[in-house]
Amino acid sequence: MTIERKIREHLHEEAQTMECPPAISKRIEQSYSHYLQRKRSEITMKKRLIGGIVAAAILIPTAAFAAPVVIEMLTRAPMTSEQVKLDEAGKATLEKLYRAIPETKSFEIINASYLGDPNDSTKKVQLSIVLQEKGGTGKKITLHTNGITDEIQDLTQENWEPKEKALITLSDQEIQAKVDQLIDKLYGNIKDYEVAMEQMDNQDQKTFILNYTKKGSEGGGYQVFVQGNTISLSPVDFEPSNNKVEGFFSLNGKPDYSADSILNDEKLLALLKMSATELKEELAKGKTVVEIAGSKNVSRQQVIDVIGRTMAEGQLQDGKNKVTISDELLKQMIKSSEPKIIPIIEHKTETEWK
C-alpha cells in the first residue's frame, strides 16, 4: 500500500470520529450542493461522502472537523423478479404481502426497480414492486417499500372488483368495508381506528378520501384514496404541529385534516406568497387551491410540481441523509403523486355528499 493511500484512509477514519459544528456542516452542504448544480450538466453525479472532503480539511490546523451529511444523486434502476426475492427488503415486502393476501403468492412480478446509487445496488432508498394475476389482465398490486426500514410506504390495489361493477360504483358503506378489510389484513387492529370518509371535488374522476386515526389519539393512521377500480393506501402521521395550521378544509362543521400534510408546505406557501393562515382563510371562502393560485398568476401545474417535489423528497428521507433527486426521476415521482395531489388542490370545503 502506498504512503498516499495510507494517509488517505487514516484521514477518513479520523474524520468519522469527529463532530462538526452545525453552522460549518450547513456551509459545506450548501457549497457541495452548488458544486453539484454546476456539474449536473456535465456528468451524472454518484454518491459521495462529504466526510471525504472534510478529511482533507484536517490538514488545516484551524479547521479540524467532520461533517456527517450525505448527499446522494438517486436514480431508478430495474430489478428482475429473482433479484427482488434475494433482496432483503424485497423478501420482507413479499412476506408481508403474502401473509396479508395469500392469493398473491401465485401472482407474477411484472415490474420492479429501486431508487439509490446506480453503482452500489446494496444501497437502496426505496424498492418498488408490481405484481399481477397471471394472464396480464386481472388483479394488480403495486408496493413502495423503504429500503432501509422495510416499511411499506404505499400500496395500490387495482382491479379487485369486476369491471362491470367497479369499486367506485359501490355504496359508501361497501367502499369503506373494502378499505377496512385491506387495512386489517396488512396492519391489523382496524377496530382501534375511526374513519372520516369524504368525496372530493375532482373534475377528472370521482374520488373518495378516507382518513383513519387511532381512537383517542392524534398520532399515526392511514390515508386512503379510492378512484375508479383502485385503492391507494399509505400509513401517515396525523400528529399536529405547533408550527402548522390545522384543518384547511372543514366537513360537517368540523375541521377536516385530510389535506393538512399536503398544504402545510413551505415551498407551496412561498409560491403563493401567503401564509398558511391566509391560505386557510381563502379556502374557507369556498375557493380551491388552484383558483387561489390562478389569482396570483400561478398555474395548476406549478402547484402540482411544488407539492410533488416536497412529497418525493419527504418520502426518500431516512432521518439521517439528505438526498438529491435527478430531474428525470423527480418528474416521474411527481407524475405518480398527481392522483393524490389533484383531488386536494381542486377541492372546495364543505363538500356535499353525492
Side-chain angles (χ1 to χ4, degrees), residues 16 54 60 101 120 128 139 150 163 169 214 221 255 300 338 340 342:
Q16 296 299 321
V54 177
I60 304 174
I101 312 175
D120 189 347
S128 300
K139 301 175 181 178
D150 294 340
K163 289 183 178 180
T169 66
K214 200 161 189 178
R300 176 176 180 268
E338 286 187 3
K340 293 185 178 181
I342 292 173

Side-chain angles (χ1 to χ4, degrees), residues 262-278:
I262 288 179
L263 298 184
N264 273 307
D265 184 335
E266 292 181 2
K267 294 177 182 176
L268 170 65
L269 297 172
L271 179 67
L272 299 178
K273 296 180 181 179
M274 61 196 314
S275 68
T277 301
E278 290 171 334

Side-chain angles (χ1 to χ4, degrees), residues 31-44:
S31 296
Y32 196 68
S33 295
H34 293 158
Y35 172 77
L36 285 176
Q37 292 294 329
R38 292 197 307 271
K39 290 295 183 180
R40 183 173 293 171
S41 61
E42 301 174 16
I43 59 175
T44 301

Side-chain angles (χ1 to χ4, degrees), residues 21-66:
I24 297 177
S25 177
K26 184 64 177 177
R27 287 176 60 189
I28 291 175
E29 179 186 348
Q30 291 174 341
S31 296
Y32 196 68
S33 295
H34 293 158
Y35 172 77
L36 285 176
Q37 292 294 329
R38 292 197 307 271
K39 290 295 183 180
R40 183 173 293 171
S41 61
E42 301 174 16
I43 59 175
T44 301
M45 298 303 298
K46 306 299 188 297
K47 178 179 178 181
R48 294 182 179 174
L49 297 176
I50 291 184
I53 296 176
V54 177
I58 295 176
L59 298 176
I60 304 174
T62 58
F65 54 80

Side-chain angles (χ1 to χ4, degrees), residues 31-213:
S31 296
Y32 196 68
S33 295
H34 293 158
Y35 172 77
L36 285 176
Q37 292 294 329
R38 292 197 307 271
K39 290 295 183 180
R40 183 173 293 171
S41 61
E42 301 174 16
I43 59 175
T44 301
M45 298 303 298
K46 306 299 188 297
K47 178 179 178 181
R48 294 182 179 174
L49 297 176
I50 291 184
I53 296 176
V54 177
I58 295 176
L59 298 176
I60 304 174
T62 58
F65 54 80
V69 180
V70 178
I71 297 180
E72 301 178 63
M73 175 62 76
L74 297 181
T75 59
R76 182 174 293 280
M79 297 178 71
T80 66
S81 59
E82 290 303 315
Q83 287 174 325
V84 172
K85 294 173 184 177
L86 294 174
D87 181 81
E88 186 174 338
K91 287 191 294 184
T93 300
L94 291 176
E95 287 173 0
K96 292 176 185 177
L97 177 63
Y98 295 158
R99 283 198 302 270
I101 312 175
E103 69 177 289
T104 57
K105 291 182 180 180
S106 64
F107 284 22
E108 298 175 308
I109 297 176
I110 62 172
N111 193 12
S113 60
Y114 73 89
L115 297 180
D117 186 338
N119 287 339
D120 189 347
S121 61
T122 65
K123 297 177 180 177
K124 301 178 179 66
V125 176
Q126 185 191 71
L127 188 67
S128 300
I129 309 172
V130 183
L131 302 97
Q132 189 170 46
E133 196 173 28
K134 291 183 178 179
T137 58
K139 301 175 181 178
K140 181 189 291 186
I141 279 187
T142 300
L143 305 115
H144 299 290
T145 299
N146 187 306
I148 299 170
T149 65
D150 294 340
E151 176 192 6
I152 296 179
Q153 299 172 316
D154 188 275
L155 178 145
T156 300
Q157 186 185 75
E158 301 175 67
N159 303 326
W160 237 252
E161 303 300 319
K163 289 183 178 180
E164 56 271 19
K165 194 177 182 182
L167 181 67
I168 205 67
T169 66
L170 303 180
S171 68
D172 299 344
Q173 292 75 20
E174 289 174 317
I175 291 175
Q176 183 183 330
K178 298 286 184 182
V179 176
D180 285 354
Q181 186 180 45
L182 179 59
I183 294 176
D184 198 53
K185 286 181 177 180
L186 281 170
Y187 301 102
N189 302 319
I190 188 63
K191 294 181 179 179
D192 294 340
Y193 291 82
E194 52 189 6
V195 59
M197 180 177 178
E198 181 183 2
Q199 183 176 335
M200 308 297 288
D201 280 338
N202 182 1
Q203 62 184 16
D204 298 322
Q205 189 174 187
K206 185 178 180 182
T207 303
F208 283 97
I209 181 171
L210 296 86
N211 287 312
Y212 288 78
T213 53

